[in-house]
Amino acid sequence: RYTESRARSYVKQILLAVTYCHEKNIVHRDLKLENFLFDHSGPEAILKMIDFGLSQHFHEREPMVKAVGTPYYVAPEVLKGSYTNSCDIWSLGVIAYMLVSGQAPFYGPDDQTILRKVRAARWSFDSQIFKHI
């Protein structure tokens, strides 16, 4: 769990990386905490996006259909089989939630349970965790 200030800095860095990719018509499709590394150790370290194994070039008016990604982070529209590069923005929202709470907004004992919760797209902000945010 990070402070709101530190999380905001990290989310901004991630958003800049995602924006750069999207401007080049590249969608990552597997944004998750594990796919960001610091360029060095220390308080001024910069995040670097990694693992473009599921990334793809996209065209504005052509939806993607292949369901890929990591259960905790995948967007509901990906699971429905018709989505755009905005799937990365959903994943970024999940990352932001996790950075400040230390928890996933969608969780369960197995992938099926997690994916069912993602499809329903219902989450909550636990008052104990989020009371200072």
Side-chain angles (χ1 to χ4, degrees):
R1 189 184 305 180
Y2 292 94
T3 65
E4 185 176 356
S5 176
R6 173 96 28 140
R8 183 174 51 248
S9 172
Y10 293 157
V11 168
K12 181 179 179 181
Q13 291 178 51
I14 295 168
L15 186 55
L16 288 171
V18 169
T19 299
Y20 178 84
C21 289
H22 287 187
E23 287 173 349
K24 305 293 184 195
N25 285 37
I26 297 170
V27 59
H28 191 281
R29 301 196 306 174
D30 196 26
L31 293 178
K32 56 186 173 182
L33 290 171
E34 299 89 343
N35 282 342
F36 289 91
L37 298 176
F38 292 106
D39 65 348
H40 67 278
S41 60
E44 301 302 319
I46 303 296
L47 285 173
K48 301 292 183 177
M49 186 188 304
I50 64 167
D51 191 0
F52 287 81
L54 295 178
S55 67
Q56 169 178 326
H57 279 92
F58 69 89
H59 303 283
E60 290 294 328
R61 294 193 176 98
E62 292 179 31
M64 290 165 272
V65 297
K66 186 175 181 184
V68 297
T70 301
Y72 286 115
Y73 302 88
V74 69
E77 61 267 26
V78 171
L79 300 175
K80 292 176 184 169
S82 180
Y83 59 97
T84 67
N85 61 313
S86 64
C87 66
D88 283 347
I89 304 304
W90 173 277
S91 301
L92 177 61
V94 172
I95 289 169
Y97 186 105
M98 293 175 80
L99 286 173
V100 295
S101 72
Q103 300 177 14
F106 308 102
Y107 53 89
D110 53 51
D111 286 352
Q112 281 186 329
T113 303
I114 295 164
L115 293 173
R116 188 174 67 251
K117 290 179 177 185
V118 169
R119 275 187 198 92
R122 281 183 256 138
W123 64 91
S124 65
F125 294 99
D126 182 287
S127 59
Q128 288 301 317
I129 295 170
F130 287 93
K131 66 182 173 185
H132 298 295
I133 297 170

